[in-house]
Amino acid sequence: MSNLSASADFELTGSLPSSPILLNPRKVEIGTRTGIAIERTLPHREFRTIGAWCFVDHFGPTDQIKAMSVAAHPHTGLQTVTWLFQGLVEHRDSVGSVQQISPGELNLMTAGKGISHSELSTNQSDYLHGVQLWIVLPDEFRNIDGNFAHYENLPVVENSDYQLHLFIGSFGAVAAPVKVYSNLIGAEINIKSANKFELALDPKFEHGFLVISDFTVIDGSKVSSGSMIYFPAGKKSIEIQGSPESKIILLGGEPFEEPFIMWWNFIGRTHDEIVEMRTDWESRNKRFGSFEDQIGGSISAPPMPNLRLVPRR
Ligand code: MN
């Protein structure tokens, strides 16, 4: 996924929220084709991270299954997580990966000091529906070499109330064998009945519940499909009620304390660093490597804004 709204988070404040916040999504456009609806809930005007989760895009469901065609573009300082509910997407990148992803599998790309990739949905299913999420890398890891990993057979926890498919972190006695650089959880929860149930949480984590389909009542608040509700750290469990059609993405983590700059597809710590990243991409410097794909071409960075970017927490 490529972030085309490069100026979106300039007005964010640095204060930490202390009570639940309902985050309604905003519609954004990506890529070189129309037809795919993208709803973004992070970064948000109120704040921009949940743990180290710093970007949340929900796309589809759409029957325009070839709607995603995002040409080569760069990333720095973050990991991208692709998780599908329906459809098939081919990922290619500058470290040589060619990987198709199906629902229930995880694509995790670690940008580190620099990587480039493209994403192309294919016509081998009836619908396309999924999320793309970014994780900001802590300072001590943000300049590591780029790499890519694909995971299948991730842990599933199931009882009479829900099925939880864990793709990052741990839940109860199970852990996803997925390399991240801060304490996080990421999971898809499919509710199985209309019963209320309690879900255990790590009280050190702040959490966001993104409702993917149907509505869900979370800790007494009704959350509609497409919206996310945020809870600050400190909760040991939460009450959830939905329907057998309810699907949620749970994201959580220890509050990320480091100030950083997120501009376009880059995460850095200083204005000058971002300028250098942009210059390196625009000159197609070897920092971001190269690769071949069926899409062809690449996405240019927008111009720098007429102000100095300031790192924010
Ligand atoms: Mn991307």
Side-chain angles (χ1 to χ4, degrees):
M1 205 67 77
S2 177
N3 179 10
L4 296 188
S5 57
S7 62
D9 64 342
F10 290 158
E11 53 193 276
L12 295 173
T13 61
S15 58
L16 272 176
S18 56
S19 56
I21 299 175
L22 184 68
L23 305 174
N24 292 313
R26 61 184 196 275
K27 298 217 182 296
V28 294
E29 289 186 4
I30 61 149
T32 51
R33 288 187 204 180
T34 56
I36 189 162
I38 304 273
E39 295 189 331
R40 185 165 296 163
T41 42
L42 273 189
H44 191 271
R45 196 160 44 81
E46 309 250 12
F47 64 102
R48 60 178 184 167
T49 54
I50 297 174
W53 298 103
C54 63
F55 182 95
V56 175
D57 266 6
H58 175 201
F59 52 90
T62 177
D63 60 1
Q64 294 176 273
I65 50 177
K66 296 174 83 173
M68 183 186 287
S69 175
V70 185
H73 61 277
H75 287 288
T76 56
L78 56 86
Q79 293 179 293
T80 66
V81 168
T82 304
W83 182 261
L84 298 180
F85 311 115
Q86 292 173 291
L88 195 75
V89 172
E90 183 182 276
H91 161 98
R92 294 189 182 223
D93 66 38
S94 57
V95 295
S97 315
V98 178
Q99 180 67 57
Q100 291 200 333
I101 181 170
S102 294
E105 303 172 357
L106 173 66
N107 274 2
L108 179 71
M109 186 178 77
T110 304
K113 64 190 174 195
I115 201 166
S116 57
H117 75 140
S118 69
E119 294 153 292
L120 179 66
S121 57
T122 74
N123 58 1
Q124 294 171 51
S125 70
D126 294 332
Y127 291 93
L128 176 65
H129 189 196
V131 289
Q132 189 173 100
L133 315 166
W134 296 356
I135 302 166
V136 54
L137 288 171
D139 191 51
E140 70 177 296
F141 300 110
R142 69 190 180 92
N143 288 312
I144 61 176
D145 289 339
N147 70 77
F148 174 83
H150 174 78
Y151 299 90
E152 299 175 12
N153 306 313
L154 290 162
V156 176
V157 175
E158 187 150 14
N159 58 34
S160 58
D161 295 320
Y162 61 86
Q163 178 212 58
L164 183 149
H165 208 145
L166 186 70
F167 55 83
I168 300 272
S170 61
F171 181 80
V174 301
V178 174
K179 179 65 176 169
V180 292
Y181 296 85
S182 56
N183 290 324
L184 294 173
I185 186 170
E188 173 185 335
I189 301 172
N190 293 295
I191 297 176
K192 293 170 68 173
S193 75
N195 297 334
K196 275 185 191 169
F197 63 91
E198 288 279 324
L199 191 76
L201 300 178
D202 185 333
K204 295 191 299 300
F205 285 11
E206 52 187 351
H207 292 90
F209 294 81
L210 172 65
V211 176
I212 298 296
S213 58
D214 208 357
F215 73 91
T216 307
V217 179
I218 302 174
D219 207 26
S221 297
K222 183 175 173 179
V223 185
S224 301
S225 169
S227 292
M228 180 155 67
I229 190 164
Y230 165 86
F231 294 93
K235 289 186 86 67
K236 290 181 180 155
S237 69
I238 200 154
E239 188 182 82
I240 297 179
Q241 185 175 25
S243 80
E245 282 74 51
S246 300
K247 182 191 294 293
I248 305 170
I249 287 286
L250 165 62
L251 301 175
E254 290 184 21
F256 191 82
E257 305 288 354
E258 292 176 31
F260 64 93
I261 296 171
M262 184 164 136
W263 182 81
W264 192 46
N265 295 310
F266 303 134
I267 291 183
R269 296 297 186 276
T270 68
H271 177 90
D272 293 343
E273 229 176 47
I274 297 286
V275 169
E276 186 181 338
M277 291 166 184
R278 183 186 178 283
T279 302
D280 286 349
W281 173 247
E282 290 305 290
S283 65
R284 301 303 186 264
N285 182 294
K286 64 181 184 337
R287 172 182 193 153
F288 295 107
S290 62
F291 61 96
E292 303 264 308
D293 64 20
Q294 298 170 57
I295 305 170
S298 57
I299 300 175
S300 286
M304 291 297 295
N306 292 319
L307 53 82
R308 282 191 74 79
L309 301 172
V310 177
R312 297 175 190 277
R313 131 120 234 352

